[in-house]
């Protein structure tokens, strides 16, 4: 039996501090920013490699796919292991792998080296996300949605800085400037070491008696069904995000004959709006229920995605900002909803859903690249425009404030 409310007792909740640990949430969010800034170098470099190595859309998508698949495979395993045997300093190890990956990317001169760099950064990401999400919940003081949003906004902000760095640093000065991004990874290693010491102290604290109300339970079969529904919603978001992260710059350059540098600014605007929108989803879900946030975030973006492939450059910029603001609030709400479905398995659920998001994004990058090769990049965006319609499945989710089992 599982709960949609806060669990009465679980390994993670029993160690929650009495008050929200703001300094740790800021540190873990800042680390998420630095981690995702490093990993954002993969999609931002794809248009550059596409020209320098004469890659087709499928090969371009495969670069992103290698990163996303390696980032997804290990995440549930890491989550399960850390639920049972917490390793506070695993975050530092994961960031070291990302550091190695970005250094390889800075000197890569052929396609295989690029794929190796993508795999190293993906491996680092697979270690980082489930454990850092678990730490964010430990530091939440019971405000789980707020904590996940603070954690998520750091990642989205880091992803947004990738195109900006590409436009201002890498494109003007060359690929070797990626090595400077390694300094960001080194800083993150220092921050995460401090977080590791805090996490270890939390694990050594004696367990507290739970004070939350008895949870409302659901049958295991219903829990599995709801997890599948949530997975379908993640599929919708991940495929659309894959279309934007991997091919949006190429879409702009091909459709509007825009320079790569200017197109990177458009991508930055989209990802910055994603970062802003991410901060809202968790706390709003804490107040009004997560179903409402999930419903609005996935399905509510549909009218704007349908218009996007037919817009001129100005309205393309406006629409992408609106899409980013709305779509980004979904993941925090989905993740916390799933964690409440399966109490006591914070790392497992974080690893599963982060892994699913990354894995589906990888599949989407290759599938959409293949579709673009056989049709056109504009046709890809016309197809992806209908993905948010999958948000209709949110009607199957019980309201967390009204469910009775």
């Amino acid at each position: 039996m599982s709960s949609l409310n806060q669990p009465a007792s679980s390994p993670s909740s029993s160690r929650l501090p009495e008050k929200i640990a703001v300094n740790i949430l800021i540190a873990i969010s800042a680390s998420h920013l630095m981690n995702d800034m490093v990993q954002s170098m993969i999609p931002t470099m794809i248009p550059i490699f596409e020209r320098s190595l004469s890659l087709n859309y499928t090969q371009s998508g495969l670069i992103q796919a290698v990163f996303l698949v390696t980032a997804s495979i290990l995440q549930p395993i890491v989550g399960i292991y850390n639920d049972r045997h917490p390793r506070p300093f695993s975050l530092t190890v994961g960031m070291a792998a990302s550091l190695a990956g970005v250094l390889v990317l800075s000197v890569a001169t052929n396609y295989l080296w690029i794929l190796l760099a993508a795999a190293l950064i993906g491996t680092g990401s697979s270690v980082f996300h489930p454990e850092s999400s678990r730490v964010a919940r430990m530091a939440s003081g019971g405000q789980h949605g707020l904590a996940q949003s603070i954690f998520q906004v750091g990642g989205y902000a880091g992803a947004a800085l990738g195109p900006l760095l590409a436009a201002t640093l890498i494109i003007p000065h060359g690929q070797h400037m990626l090595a400077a991004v390694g300094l960001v990874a080194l800083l993150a290693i220092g921050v995460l070491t401090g977080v590791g010491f805090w996490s270890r102290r939390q694990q050594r604290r004696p367990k507290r008696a739970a004070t939350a109300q008895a949870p409302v339970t659901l049958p295991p079969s219903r829990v599995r069904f709801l997890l599948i529904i949530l997975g379908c919603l993640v599929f919708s978001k991940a495929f659309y995000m894959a279309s934007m992260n991997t091919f949006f710059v190429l879409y702009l350059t091909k459709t509007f004959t825009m320079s790569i540098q200017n197109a990177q600014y458009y991508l930055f605007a989209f990802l910055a709006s994603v970062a802003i929108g991410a901060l809202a989803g968790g706390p709003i879900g804490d107040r009004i229920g997560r179903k409402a946030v999930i419903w609005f975030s996935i399905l509510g973006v549909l009218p704007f995605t349908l218009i996007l492939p037919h817009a001129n450059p100005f309205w393309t910029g406006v629409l992408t900002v609106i899409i980013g603001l709305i779509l980004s609030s979904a993941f925090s709400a989905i993740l916390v909803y799933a964690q409440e479905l399966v109490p006591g398995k914070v790392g497992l659920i974080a690893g599963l859903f982060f892994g699913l998001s990354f894995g589906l994004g990888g599949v989407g990058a290759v599938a959409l690249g293949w579709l673009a090769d056989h049709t056109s990049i504009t046709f890809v965006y016309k197809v992806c425009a209908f993905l948010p319609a999958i948000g209709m499945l949110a009607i199957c989710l019980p309201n967390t404030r009204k469910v009775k089992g």
Side-chain angles (χ1 to χ4, degrees):
M1 306 289 279
S2 297
S3 167
L4 285 177
N5 294 330
Q6 302 208 10
S9 179
S10 72
S12 58
S13 63
S14 61
R15 293 185 175 88
L16 284 173
E18 293 178 359
K19 296 181 179 180
I20 187 169
V22 176
N23 60 328
I24 296 301
L25 286 178
I26 292 174
I28 207 68
S29 182
S31 300
H32 200 184
L33 182 152
M34 290 181 275
N35 178 83
D36 284 26
M37 183 192 300
V38 170
Q39 71 181 38
S40 72
M41 292 298 100
I42 298 295
T44 55
M45 290 298 294
I46 285 176
I48 299 171
F49 290 133
E50 186 259 349
R51 290 192 175 183
S52 64
L53 300 177
S54 300
L55 304 179
N56 58 34
Y57 288 122
T58 303
Q59 290 173 316
S60 298
L62 185 60
I63 297 172
Q64 181 77 340
V66 168
F67 159 66
L68 291 171
V69 170
T70 53
S72 66
I73 291 175
L74 291 177
Q75 290 206 38
I77 299 172
V78 172
I80 292 171
Y81 183 82
N82 284 349
D83 278 336
R84 297 176 179 177
H85 311 285
R87 291 292 183 267
F89 298 103
S90 61
L91 292 171
T92 304
V93 176
M95 189 57 65
S98 295
L99 171 61
V102 77
L103 292 178
V104 171
L105 194 65
S106 70
V107 297
T109 56
N110 62 58
Y111 190 62
L112 290 179
W113 279 106
I114 295 169
L115 294 180
L116 173 62
L120 284 170
I121 295 174
T123 300
S125 185
S126 70
V127 175
F128 175 83
H129 284 96
E131 176 61 13
S132 56
S133 180
R134 194 177 71 87
V135 170
R137 190 173 178 93
M138 288 171 60
S140 70
Q143 300 181 61
H144 302 141
L146 174 63
Q148 286 300 324
S149 283
I150 293 173
F151 169 64
Q152 287 295 324
V153 76
Y156 287 128
L161 289 173
L164 191 61
L165 281 175
T168 59
L169 183 66
I170 297 166
I171 293 175
H173 301 290
Q175 176 185 344
H176 66 279
M177 290 303 295
L178 279 168
V181 181
L183 297 175
V184 175
L186 280 175
L187 177 60
I189 287 172
V191 173
L192 290 172
T193 300
V195 171
F197 282 113
W198 177 87
S199 180
R200 187 172 65 178
R201 289 195 298 271
Q202 291 301 115
Q203 291 165 13
R204 291 175 176 175
R205 293 173 63 181
K207 294 184 179 181
R208 294 187 180 93
T211 57
Q213 294 178 351
V216 179
T217 57
L218 293 173
S221 59
R222 184 80 189 282
V223 170
R224 288 191 293 270
F225 171 74
L226 294 176
L227 289 176
I228 291 172
I229 294 296
L230 293 174
C232 292
L233 298 176
V234 169
F235 162 82
S236 169
K237 178 180 181 295
F239 259 59
Y240 196 86
M241 289 297 293
S243 76
M244 298 299 286
N245 287 331
T246 309
F247 298 112
F248 190 49
V249 169
L250 295 174
Y251 169 77
L252 294 172
T253 58
K254 305 292 184 183
T255 305
F256 304 120
T257 61
M258 190 181 296
S259 70
I260 291 179
Q261 190 168 14
N262 286 338
Q264 293 284 3
Y265 289 122
Y266 272 71
L267 181 58
F268 167 73
F270 168 73
L271 294 174
S273 67
V274 167
I276 295 169
L279 191 59
I284 293 175
D286 284 340
R287 287 179 174 270
I288 69 172
R290 318 214 188 276
K291 178 180 177 178
V293 174
I294 295 169
W295 181 272
F296 172 74
S297 181
I298 302 292
L299 188 61
V301 81
L302 180 61
F304 306 103
T305 60
L306 290 172
I307 298 171
L308 180 65
H310 309 284
N312 62 25
F314 172 79
W315 284 109
T316 294
V318 173
L319 287 168
T320 54
V321 168
I322 295 172
I323 290 168
L325 287 170
I326 298 174
L327 188 63
S328 59
S329 60
F331 191 75
S332 293
I334 290 172
L335 181 61
V336 177
Y337 193 106
Q339 287 174 338
E340 291 171 348
L341 281 174
V342 190
K345 303 293 183 181
V346 175
L348 167 62
I349 294 300
L352 180 64
F353 276 84
F354 274 112
L356 183 64
S357 181
F358 278 91
L360 288 173
V363 173
V366 174
L368 296 176
W370 178 89
L371 183 62
D373 280 331
H374 289 78
T375 56
S376 70
I377 194 69
T378 302
F379 182 75
V380 166
Y381 279 88
K382 289 180 179 178
V383 172
C384 290
F386 291 92
L387 285 171
I390 295 174
M392 288 293 295
L393 292 174
I395 198 171
C396 300
L397 300 176
N399 190 313
T400 58
R401 292 182 175 273
K402 295 180 181 180
V403 67
K404 296 181 180 180

Short mmCIF file of all heavy atoms in Angstrom, two decimals, residues 135-157:
data_model
loop_
_atom_site.label_atom_id
_atom_site.label_comp_id
_atom_site.label_asym_id
_atom_site.label_seq_id
_atom_site.Cartn_x
_atom_site.Cartn_y
_atom_site.Cartn_z
N VAL A 135 19.02 14.44 -1.38
CA VAL A 135 19.53 15.42 -0.43
C VAL A 135 18.57 16.61 -0.35
O VAL A 135 18.31 17.14 0.74
CB VAL A 135 20.95 15.88 -0.84
CG1 VAL A 135 21.38 17.08 0.01
CG2 VAL A 135 21.94 14.74 -0.67
N ALA A 136 18.03 17.04 -1.50
CA ALA A 136 17.08 18.16 -1.50
C ALA A 136 15.86 17.83 -0.65
O ALA A 136 15.35 18.68 0.09
CB ALA A 136 16.67 18.50 -2.92
N ARG A 137 15.38 16.61 -0.73
CA ARG A 137 14.22 16.21 0.08
C ARG A 137 14.59 16.16 1.56
O ARG A 137 13.79 16.55 2.42
CB ARG A 137 13.69 14.86 -0.39
CG ARG A 137 12.34 14.49 0.23
CD ARG A 137 11.79 13.22 -0.38
NE ARG A 137 10.55 12.81 0.22
CZ ARG A 137 9.33 13.14 -0.21
NH1 ARG A 137 9.22 13.91 -1.29
NH2 ARG A 137 8.25 12.72 0.40
N MET A 138 15.81 15.70 1.88
CA MET A 138 16.27 15.70 3.26
C MET A 138 16.29 17.11 3.84
O MET A 138 16.01 17.33 5.02
CB MET A 138 17.67 15.09 3.35
CG MET A 138 17.75 13.59 3.13
SD MET A 138 19.47 13.02 3.00
CE MET A 138 20.12 13.53 4.59
N ALA A 139 16.62 18.09 3.00
CA ALA A 139 16.75 19.47 3.46
C ALA A 139 15.45 20.25 3.39
O ALA A 139 15.42 21.43 3.74
CB ALA A 139 17.82 20.18 2.63
N SER A 140 14.36 19.62 2.96
CA SER A 140 13.13 20.34 2.65
C SER A 140 12.34 20.78 3.87
O SER A 140 11.48 21.65 3.77
CB SER A 140 12.23 19.46 1.78
OG SER A 140 11.71 18.36 2.53
N GLY A 141 12.57 20.13 5.01
CA GLY A 141 11.75 20.45 6.19
C GLY A 141 10.28 20.14 5.98
O GLY A 141 9.42 20.74 6.60
N GLY A 142 9.98 19.22 5.09
CA GLY A 142 8.60 18.85 4.80
C GLY A 142 7.98 19.58 3.62
O GLY A 142 6.93 19.17 3.12
N GLN A 143 8.63 20.64 3.13
CA GLN A 143 8.13 21.38 1.97
C GLN A 143 8.74 20.78 0.70
O GLN A 143 9.60 21.37 0.05
CB GLN A 143 8.47 22.86 2.10
CG GLN A 143 7.87 23.50 3.35
CD GLN A 143 8.21 24.98 3.44
OE1 GLN A 143 7.86 25.77 2.58
NE2 GLN A 143 8.89 25.36 4.51
N HIS A 144 8.26 19.60 0.36
CA HIS A 144 8.92 18.81 -0.67
C HIS A 144 8.83 19.44 -2.05
O HIS A 144 9.80 19.41 -2.83
CB HIS A 144 8.33 17.40 -0.69
CG HIS A 144 8.45 16.69 0.62
ND1 HIS A 144 7.44 15.89 1.13
CD2 HIS A 144 9.43 16.68 1.54
CE1 HIS A 144 7.81 15.39 2.29
NE2 HIS A 144 9.01 15.86 2.57
N GLY A 145 7.68 19.99 -2.38
CA GLY A 145 7.52 20.61 -3.68
C GLY A 145 8.43 21.82 -3.83
O GLY A 145 9.09 22.01 -4.86
N LEU A 146 8.48 22.66 -2.81
CA LEU A 146 9.34 23.83 -2.83
C LEU A 146 10.80 23.41 -2.99
O LEU A 146 11.55 23.99 -3.79
CB LEU A 146 9.16 24.65 -1.56
CG LEU A 146 10.12 25.83 -1.37
CD1 LEU A 146 9.93 26.86 -2.46
CD2 LEU A 146 9.92 26.46 0.02
N ALA A 147 11.22 22.41 -2.21
CA ALA A 147 12.61 21.96 -2.26
C ALA A 147 12.97 21.44 -3.65
O ALA A 147 14.05 21.74 -4.19
CB ALA A 147 12.86 20.87 -1.22
N GLN A 148 12.08 20.65 -4.26
CA GLN A 148 12.37 20.12 -5.59
C GLN A 148 12.40 21.24 -6.63
O GLN A 148 13.20 21.18 -7.57
CB GLN A 148 11.33 19.06 -5.98
CG GLN A 148 11.50 17.73 -5.27
CD GLN A 148 12.86 17.08 -5.56
OE1 GLN A 148 13.39 17.17 -6.65
NE2 GLN A 148 13.40 16.41 -4.55
N SER A 149 11.56 22.25 -6.47
CA SER A 149 11.59 23.36 -7.41
C SER A 149 12.89 24.15 -7.30
O SER A 149 13.47 24.56 -8.31
CB SER A 149 10.39 24.29 -7.19
OG SER A 149 9.22 23.74 -7.73
N ILE A 150 13.33 24.41 -6.07
CA ILE A 150 14.61 25.10 -5.89
C ILE A 150 15.74 24.29 -6.50
O ILE A 150 16.62 24.82 -7.19
CB ILE A 150 14.87 25.36 -4.40
CG1 ILE A 150 13.86 26.38 -3.85
CG2 ILE A 150 16.30 25.87 -4.17
CD1 ILE A 150 13.92 26.57 -2.35
N PHE A 151 15.70 22.98 -6.28
CA PHE A 151 16.70 22.10 -6.88
C PHE A 151 16.62 22.13 -8.40
O PHE A 151 17.62 22.26 -9.10
CB PHE A 151 16.48 20.67 -6.36
CG PHE A 151 17.27 19.62 -7.07
CD1 PHE A 151 18.65 19.61 -7.03
CD2 PHE A 151 16.63 18.62 -7.79
CE1 PHE A 151 19.38 18.63 -7.69
CE2 PHE A 151 17.34 17.64 -8.44
CZ PHE A 151 18.72 17.65 -8.40
N GLN A 152 15.41 22.05 -8.95
CA GLN A 152 15.23 21.99 -10.40
C GLN A 152 15.61 23.30 -11.08
O GLN A 152 16.17 23.29 -12.17
CB GLN A 152 13.77 21.66 -10.73
CG GLN A 152 13.37 20.23 -10.46
CD GLN A 152 14.10 19.26 -11.37
OE1 GLN A 152 14.38 19.55 -12.52
NE2 GLN A 152 14.45 18.11 -10.83
N VAL A 153 15.31 24.44 -10.45
CA VAL A 153 15.58 25.71 -11.11
C VAL A 153 17.08 25.89 -11.34
O VAL A 153 17.49 26.51 -12.34
CB VAL A 153 14.98 26.89 -10.30
CG1 VAL A 153 15.82 27.21 -9.08
CG2 VAL A 153 14.84 28.12 -11.18
N GLY A 154 17.88 25.34 -10.46
CA GLY A 154 19.33 25.40 -10.68
C GLY A 154 19.73 24.66 -11.94
O GLY A 154 20.54 25.16 -12.74
N GLY A 155 19.15 23.48 -12.15
CA GLY A 155 19.46 22.71 -13.34
C GLY A 155 19.03 23.41 -14.61
O GLY A 155 19.77 23.48 -15.59
N TYR A 156 17.80 23.92 -14.60
CA TYR A 156 17.31 24.61 -15.79
C TYR A 156 18.12 25.87 -16.07
O TYR A 156 18.37 26.22 -17.23
CB TYR A 156 15.83 24.96 -15.63
CG TYR A 156 14.91 23.77 -15.74
CD1 TYR A 156 13.97 23.50 -14.75
CD2 TYR A 156 14.97 22.92 -16.84
CE1 TYR A 156 13.11 22.41 -14.86
CE2 TYR A 156 14.12 21.84 -16.95
CZ TYR A 156 13.19 21.58 -15.96
OH TYR A 156 12.35 20.50 -16.08
N ALA A 157 18.53 26.58 -15.02
CA ALA A 157 19.35 27.78 -15.21
C ALA A 157 20.70 27.40 -15.82
O ALA A 157 21.21 28.10 -16.71
CB ALA A 157 19.54 28.51 -13.88
#
